Amino acid sequence: HAWLTDVIIGIVYESWAGGFGVILLFGAVAIGAWLIAAGTASAPRYVRWLVTTLSVWVALPYLGARTQLVSWLGLALLLRLLSHRTSFSQRWIPILFLLWANLHGGFVLGLVLMIVIAVALWIARLLHAEWGSRWGLVDESGLAQTNLRGLVLLTGVSALVTLANPYGWRLHGEIVDSLANQFMVEELKEWQPLSLTTTAGRGYALYLAALGGAMCCWYRRYEPVRWVVWLVFLVFSLRHMRNVPVFLL
């Protein structure tokens, strides 16, 4: 699932500082993912930095020299490109998926994100047409300003370019087989549902409680598309602990 990332790790390990260089590489990837994702939020800078710091603290148990960090960076870049209203910025998305599919199998999360946004956008606009401004995209910005038809086309093209890898369609088959592997889902700890018996689980639960409290006190925006994205990825994080950092982004 990560042949190109393995090549990069090998080059870094052999040519620069060994294992320490690999740790620095993944540290840079993780920092980059959080900084890029923070830039997509429509909030004052001090709020973004506070929330970013808290989310990184919660994500600490999941960090390390792991190839899946590459997909966190890919997801952050995708969010940044989708948040730009210009078609020029979004033309980079298929190129991102071309690289992502060769770096890590987590590119599937990116496709899921685009599909979720497209479906939420379609439903919100349908309700707006039927029931008026009450159901409109009143406070939406960024994600919801995307042209729906263009987003669907972009998703299809992005899915197609992921076939451009040394394994072709077999890569996708391997990803499906891995997700359907009951032994992996049932036995590997990171694929287990969120557990409050672990320090990481309790930290995430506290973060969610604080986030919910802050939203009740200060969040007054009407953003149905963003809400749907949050809900879907929250469910992913509760279903499998490995997805907690994905929601935190």
Side-chain angles (χ1 to χ4, degrees):
H1 298 172
W3 74 271
L4 186 54
T5 300
D6 290 340
V7 170
I8 294 171
I9 291 173
I11 292 173
V12 171
Y13 186 86
E14 292 294 335
S15 62
W16 189 67
F20 182 68
V22 174
I23 292 173
L24 288 180
L25 171 65
F26 282 102
V29 169
I31 292 171
W34 257 268
L35 291 179
I36 292 170
T40 65
S42 54
R45 181 175 296 181
Y46 75 92
V47 174
R48 294 202 303 268
W49 280 109
L50 175 60
V51 174
T52 299
T53 302
L54 290 174
S55 65
V56 170
W57 175 76
V58 175
L60 283 177
Y62 305 93
L63 299 179
R66 312 177 64 190
T67 56
Q68 70 187 64
L69 269 69
V70 174
S71 282
W72 302 354
L73 179 59
L75 197 63
L77 287 169
L78 179 60
L79 283 168
R80 189 63 174 264
L81 291 173
L82 287 171
S83 296
H84 282 279
R85 301 183 187 184
T86 62
S87 58
F88 176 78
S89 297
Q90 296 186 357
R91 287 174 186 168
W92 287 94
I93 291 177
I95 298 175
L96 170 62
F97 273 96
L98 176 62
L99 290 171
W100 195 350
N102 287 277
L103 287 166
H104 191 258
F107 68 87
V108 173
L109 275 175
L111 294 175
V112 169
L113 173 63
M114 295 178 73
I115 292 170
V116 169
I117 293 173
V119 172
L121 197 54
W122 175 71
I123 293 174
R125 290 180 178 175
L126 184 65
L127 290 173
H128 175 57
E130 288 288 332
W131 301 100
S133 60
R134 179 184 175 187
W135 297 99
L137 305 172
V138 178
D139 297 317
E140 290 279 14
S141 60
L143 298 179
Q145 298 301 319
T146 305
N147 176 274
L148 180 56
R149 189 171 300 176
L151 179 59
V152 172
L153 178 61
L154 198 58
T155 304
V157 172
S158 298
L160 285 175
V161 300
T162 62
L163 294 170
N165 66 81
Y167 311 103
W169 61 268
R170 292 189 298 276
L171 172 64
H172 301 69
E174 177 63 24
I175 293 172
V176 171
D177 289 342
S178 297
L179 294 175
N181 187 319
Q182 288 302 308
F183 174 80
M184 180 183 72
V185 173
E186 294 174 0
E187 299 298 327
L188 294 184
K189 186 176 181 179
E190 66 176 11
W191 283 96
Q192 300 298 308
L194 184 72
S195 173
L196 296 180
T197 61
T198 64
T199 302
R202 290 192 294 270
Y204 184 50
L206 287 173
Y207 174 85
L208 291 178
L211 180 63
M215 290 178 68
C216 289
C217 293
W218 295 292
Y219 183 66
R220 295 295 183 270
R221 299 175 67 87
Y222 180 70
E223 302 176 301
V225 175
R226 192 175 296 273
W227 295 345
V228 171
V229 172
W230 285 347
L231 180 61
V232 169
F233 282 87
L234 175 61
V235 171
F236 286 169
S237 71
L238 296 177
R239 184 67 184 86
H240 301 296
M241 285 190 292
R242 66 178 281 126
N243 292 324
V244 166
V246 173
F247 177 79
L248 293 172
L249 286 173

